[in-house]
Every structure is written in structure tokens, then in C-alpha cells.
Amino acid sequence: MPKHPRWEAKDAEKQLLAYGFDLIRTKGSHRIYYKNNVRVVIPFHSGRILHPKIIKQVLKATEQ
């Protein structure tokens, strides 16, 4: 199984916005993006690498 890239939250956000996702709301340090009944939640903590499960969720949402 290939390794996922190591992203910070800003990298995941760029990926989602490039594929047409919209930022619908922010709750605390989490930002929620939405497009065509697909919701992706990204935790924004400065300088921290995202968990591989979150990166997998972003990649799966943007392949559609």
C-alpha cells in the first residue's frame, strides 16, 4: 500500500478548494468543506501534520 503524502492543514485546504469544495463553516479549530453531498472536516492546528486518515478522506473526496 502506498504511503500518503505528509500534509499540513493548509495543503489539504488548497486541494479541496482546487476541486471546487466550499468552506461552509468553522467550529473552533476545525473547518468544514462541502460539495455534492460530500463533507470533509479539516482540523487546523498550526505546524502540525494531518493524520493519515484525514489525508485519505481528502484524497477520496477529490477523486470524484
Side-chain angles (χ1 to χ4, degrees):
M1 176 184 278
K3 286 190 171 186
H4 294 295
R6 293 179 54 90
W7 283 349
E8 291 183 2
K10 63 182 178 180
D11 301 322
E13 180 181 42
K14 285 180 189 176
Q15 179 82 3
L16 289 172
L17 294 176
Y19 278 86
F21 278 78
D22 295 319
L23 175 65
I24 57 171
R25 66 188 174 101
T26 302
K27 184 170 184 178
S29 62
H30 292 73
R31 296 183 186 175
I32 295 97
Y33 299 89
Y34 191 80
K35 176 185 174 185
N36 297 337
N37 295 328
V38 177
R39 183 185 67 150
V40 180
V41 179
I42 304 293
F44 267 76
H45 302 286
S46 62
R48 298 205 44 202
I49 301 297
L50 293 175
H51 192 276
K53 287 183 180 180
I54 296 171
I55 296 171
K56 184 176 179 180
Q57 180 187 15
V58 171
L59 292 175
K60 184 177 178 184
T62 57
E63 74 182 16
Q64 296 175 353

